[in-house]
Amino acid sequence: RGHLSLSFQNKYWASIDECQRAAFLNRPSTMFNVHVFKDGDKWCAMRFKPEITNMMEQVVGFGDSPDKACVAFDKAWGTDE
């Protein structure tokens, strides 16, 4: 009594995993053709558009790791500057 069945627990954790997977797949850095590369001592995530030759005009994110660069890219993608 008072404990959830193992079957329910497994379904619950599977649904959490599906939600996390869906959130990851809906990130701009995942949905678009984002290149992640080392730039000096930081990582850079950038959506490469060949028609834009100036990197300052590209949507980019920088971070101490590839994931942090992608998170920064996701935030930059959502801004209108």
Side-chain angles (χ1 to χ4, degrees):
R1 288 193 148 211
H3 294 286
L4 299 174
S5 73
L6 185 57
S7 174
F8 179 82
Q9 289 178 22
N10 288 339
K11 288 177 185 175
Y12 172 78
W13 288 114
S15 71
I16 293 296
D17 291 343
E18 284 299 314
C19 289
Q20 290 173 336
R21 191 175 1 260
F24 175 78
L25 292 174
N26 284 315
R27 289 173 57 178
S29 58
T30 305
M31 292 179 2
F32 301 107
N33 188 21
V34 174
H35 300 274
V36 180
F37 56 92
K38 191 81 167 172
D39 185 31
D41 64 341
K42 297 285 186 186
W43 285 89
C44 177
M46 179 175 71
R47 181 176 185 204
F48 180 70
K49 292 180 130 183
E51 65 274 13
I52 301 176
T53 57
N54 182 353
M55 187 173 171
M56 297 307 291
E57 295 175 8
Q58 301 273 8
V59 177
V60 297
F62 291 95
D64 293 328
S65 69
D67 186 59
K68 289 181 180 178
C70 287
V71 169
F73 176 90
D74 295 340
K75 288 179 183 175
W77 183 265
T79 61
D80 287 335
E81 292 185 15

